[in-house]
Amino acid sequence: MTDLTNPGPALAGPPIPGPDAALFLDMDGTLLEIAPRPDAVVVPKELPELLTRLQTALGGAVAVVTGRGLAVARGFTGVPSLPIGAEHGAVLDPALPGAPPLPVPPPEWRRMADEFAAARPGTLAEHKTHGIVLHFRQRPEAEAEAMALLHRLVRNDPRGFHVVPSHAAADLRPVGADKGGAVHRLMTISPFRGRRPIFIGDDITDEDGMAACAEYGGYGLRVPDDFAGRPALVRAWLSRLAASLTAGARPD
C-alpha cells in the first residue's frame, strides 16, 4: 500500500505554498471521495483534525466552498470556526454584511423535482435553501431528462435562476451565486485579506473560484490534473502543507 504521508515523486503533488497562502477547498471530489449518492459519502475521521491544523498553520485563512447545504457541510467538516461558502457561495457562514438577497425555488418546482426522482429509481432530488439538484449518478440515462426539466423551470424566472451541469447532476441555483463570489467576499476580510489564495477543486463549478483566486495573484489546483483524481492525495498534500508551515514557525 502506498504511504500517502510520504509519497514518491509521482504522488507528491504540487509545490507546497508559503505561509502567505489562503486556502479555499471544495468538498465532494476534493476533500471527500465521490459516493454513489450524496447521502452515502464517507467522511475520513481525520478530516476535522486536518482542517484545524491547516487553520492554525495559516492563521485561520482556510475556508470550504462547496455545493453542499450549510448544515451538511458544517457537519462534515466538524470545525465550528471554519468559514464555509455553501450552496456554491449562495450561503456564507459567518455571514458578511452587504450580501444581496437571493431567490428561493417555489414549492411547485420542488414538488416537480421530487416527482421526477420518484418516477426514476436511481435518481435523487436534493433540496437546498436556494436551489435544487437532480442527481443521476446511478441512472446516467436520466441526464437529458433532468437537464430538460430544470431548464423548463428556470424559463419561468430566467433572471433569478440558471442551470449548471455538475458531476452526474443538474444544479438549479440563483444567478450570481457561484464559488467565485464566496472567494471575493472572504478575500475582503481578515484573515484572508492580503494573502495569496489557492482554490482546490475537481469540477466545472470550481472554475469560478479558481478564476477569482487568480484576480488576487493566486491560482487553482485541479484534482484530476494535480492530484491524480484522488481526494486522498489532496488530504495527504494538505497534511504535508500544515506540517511544513508548522515546522517553519518553530524557533531554532
Side-chain angles (χ1 to χ4, degrees):
M1 181 178 294
T2 303
D3 179 4
L4 297 183
T5 63
N6 187 26
L11 298 180
I16 297 294
D20 64 337
L23 290 181
F24 297 90
L25 307 171
D26 174 48
M27 185 166 283
D28 293 272
T30 299
L31 290 176
L32 308 176
E33 280 74 15
I34 295 288
R37 293 168 55 94
D39 54 357
V41 70
V42 175
V43 180
K45 64 180 182 301
E46 71 272 13
L47 183 62
E49 189 266 343
L50 171 59
L51 293 172
T52 299
R53 287 172 57 212
L54 285 169
Q55 276 193 308
T56 300
L58 288 168
V62 180
V64 164
V65 185
T66 174
R68 293 277 190 169
L70 179 59
V72 173
R74 181 65 71 197
F76 284 173
T77 65
V79 182
S81 61
L82 186 74
I84 293 181
E87 299 190 27
H88 301 285
V91 178
L92 193 61
D93 182 32
L96 299 180
L102 294 173
V104 298
E108 176 70 6
W109 292 14
R110 299 190 186 278
R111 181 186 64 78
M112 294 174 69
D114 286 337
E115 290 176 350
F116 176 93
R120 296 162 181 81
T123 66
L124 175 70
E126 180 186 4
H127 296 285
K128 302 176 182 179
T129 303
H130 297 284
I132 302 170
V133 185
L134 291 177
H135 298 270
F136 44 79
R137 181 173 301 277
Q138 295 180 300
R139 189 167 176 171
E141 67 272 17
E143 176 178 5
E145 290 180 293
M147 292 293 291
L149 171 61
L150 296 188
H151 278 295
R152 286 200 303 273
L153 296 180
V154 301
R155 279 200 293 269
N156 296 321
D157 190 1
R159 294 171 299 175
F161 296 91
H162 63 158
V163 180
V164 180
S166 186
H167 272 319
D171 197 333
L172 181 152
R173 66 185 196 225
V175 172
D178 61 53
K179 295 184 178 184
V183 170
H184 281 300
R185 292 176 66 197
L186 286 170
M187 287 298 292
T188 66
I189 64 170
S190 178
F192 297 90
R193 184 172 50 239
R195 288 177 172 266
R196 189 182 188 193
I198 302 167
F199 198 107
I200 308 179
D202 71 309
D203 196 2
I204 189 172
T205 60
D206 299 310
E207 295 293 332
D208 293 318
M210 295 178 189
C213 286
E215 295 183 36
Y216 296 91
Y219 55 94
L221 295 174
R222 295 165 177 81
V223 179
D225 301 328
D226 297 299
F227 299 97
R230 298 171 60 185
L233 291 180
V234 177
R235 296 192 300 270
W237 183 84
L238 292 172
S239 182
R240 293 195 298 276
L241 167 60
S244 172
L245 294 179
T246 302
R250 293 174 183 158
D252 294 332

